[in-house]
Amino acid sequence: KLQKWKISCFRHEGFSPENPKPEYIEHFLPEELVQTELYKSSAHRRDWKSTLKEAADAVSRAVGSGWTVPWTAETILQVMLLWVAAFWFIGSWMIPFAAHMAGFSKESLTFKGQALFSLVTDVTEGLAGIAILHRCLSHFHPLPSDWFKFSLRGKWLFDVALGCLMFPFVNQLSQFNLTLLPLMPSTPVTLSSVEQSILARDPVAMALYAIVVSICAPVWEEIVFRGFLLPSLTRYMPVWSAILVSSVAFALAHFNVQRMLPLIFLGMVMGVVFARSRNLLPSMLLHSLWNGFVFLDLMR
């Protein structure tokens, strides 16, 4: 009986030579599970990092490499500050003062006169911006061949077409931006001279404004923000970062917080098109098409 009791007790406690001890089982299984979970977590982190790296590599391949920039941040800042100052001085002081000396003011002009006034102002601002660029960069001539390039060659029409497909999304961002930052109740809602001309259906004024928004503005703005600022920034950051920073600067230059988000996104689209083609003509065409789209939308 004693022997049977011992055998029974032995079997109950599980001290069989074929089975490990209970304590060993209790500690072995959780440790194995922990090691498995750690392995999975480590593998997940590796997968996440590799996915992020692959995405960054794909973006880099899509937008291309940076430019050879012969100037420093001092020249970049100098050009941009001078451009903003010239833009403000010409539009707010020089042209209005010249009009005053000639004996008239913009408010007293007809729709055609106001449109011509805007065209003269925009052309003067654009020429001043080009003069600033030429003067500040004159010490670095001759520039590399991919600077300020205009060419009909290249496979960029597809990129421009894809950019046009982004227009409805830009429009939705405009509505979202207005939802985030609506006009203050105390802010008077006034019609711009462009909208007044459209309401009056003045064909000459509308044609002049179409030239301003669809030709002049895209040319000047693309030369400054895509032609100069974006490539210059690649001296200090990757191309995708330069596209983002130049797009934010492009949006800020319009001095309209209700349009910040759509302008930033639009600037990024035009920046990608420019970076892929190394050609200002595609981004100018895309910019012109967007402005024309907005102008036609106002005419409805």
Side-chain angles (χ1 to χ4, degrees):
K1 289 183 179 179
L2 181 61
Q3 185 178 5
K4 289 182 180 180
W5 182 85
K6 287 182 178 179
I7 293 173
S8 176
C9 186
F10 177 82
R11 287 176 180 171
H12 177 73
E13 292 177 359
F15 291 112
S16 169
E18 298 175 357
N19 297 317
K21 293 182 180 181
E23 292 83 7
Y24 179 72
I25 294 174
E26 290 172 4
H27 290 285
F28 173 76
L29 290 177
E31 183 179 353
E32 184 182 50
L33 289 173
V34 169
Q35 289 177 351
T36 303
E37 290 300 321
L38 286 173
Y39 175 78
K40 288 181 179 179
S41 177
S42 177
H44 179 73
R45 284 197 298 271
R46 283 198 299 271
D47 290 342
W48 181 79
K49 290 179 180 178
S50 61
T51 302
L52 192 62
K53 186 178 184 303
E54 288 173 3
D57 291 341
V59 171
S60 298
R61 287 193 300 271
V63 299
S65 57
W67 278 254
T68 301
V69 185
W71 46 81
T72 62
E74 182 182 357
T75 300
I76 300 173
L77 191 61
Q78 180 187 36
V79 169
M80 297 310 298
L81 289 178
L82 285 174
W83 182 81
V84 171
F87 182 89
W88 171 79
F89 177 74
I90 291 170
S92 300
W93 291 92
M94 194 180 89
I95 300 297
F97 179 75
H100 176 74
M101 294 299 293
F104 61 87
S105 63
K106 183 179 179 181
E107 291 72 20
S108 64
L109 296 174
T110 62
F111 292 129
K112 297 181 183 65
Q114 290 187 12
L116 183 61
F117 186 95
S118 295
L119 179 60
V120 171
T121 302
D122 205 83
V123 169
T124 306
E125 290 171 345
L127 293 175
I130 292 176
I132 289 169
L133 274 173
H134 184 269
R135 179 68 183 86
C136 293
L137 304 184
S138 60
H139 304 297
F140 306 99
H141 287 290
L143 298 177
S145 60
D146 57 349
W147 279 90
F148 303 107
K149 180 181 175 182
F150 296 85
S151 176
L152 290 170
R153 297 180 179 180
K155 300 177 181 180
W156 47 262
L157 285 176
F158 181 72
D159 287 348
V160 172
L162 284 180
C164 290
L165 294 178
M166 297 293 105
F167 288 174
F169 182 69
V170 177
N171 202 34
Q172 290 298 318
L173 273 178
S174 299
Q175 301 301 321
F176 179 66
N177 204 154
L178 282 173
T179 303
L180 289 178
L181 296 168
L183 294 172
M184 299 297 292
S186 59
T187 304
V189 179
T190 58
L191 294 176
S192 66
S193 56
V194 179
E195 292 170 319
Q196 291 175 16
S197 298
I198 290 173
L199 288 175
R201 294 297 173 185
D202 189 315
V204 175
M206 290 166 64
L208 291 173
Y209 280 125
I211 294 172
V212 171
V213 301
S214 297
I215 299 177
C216 297
V219 170
W220 313 140
E221 292 175 5
E222 290 308 300
I223 288 175
V224 172
F225 291 101
R226 253 63 66 181
F228 170 73
L229 182 59
L230 193 161
S232 298
L233 291 173
T234 61
R235 175 167 180 157
Y236 301 100
M237 60 186 72
V239 178
W240 66 267
S241 299
I243 291 173
L244 177 59
V245 173
S246 62
S247 299
V248 172
F250 169 71
L252 290 172
H254 286 77
F255 302 103
N256 190 336
V257 293
Q258 275 79 30
R259 296 174 60 200
M260 281 293 294
L261 292 180
L263 285 173
I264 290 173
F265 181 77
L266 184 65
M268 291 175 64
V269 173
M270 294 186 295
V272 169
V273 170
F274 170 69
R276 283 172 55 82
S277 63
R278 301 297 179 106
N279 185 358
L280 275 168
L281 195 58
S283 63
M284 285 181 180
L285 177 59
L286 187 60
H287 196 155
S288 178
L289 289 171
W290 166 253
N291 284 9
F293 170 78
V294 173
F295 188 76
L296 289 174
D297 190 55
L298 289 174
M299 293 177 64
R300 291 191 307 175

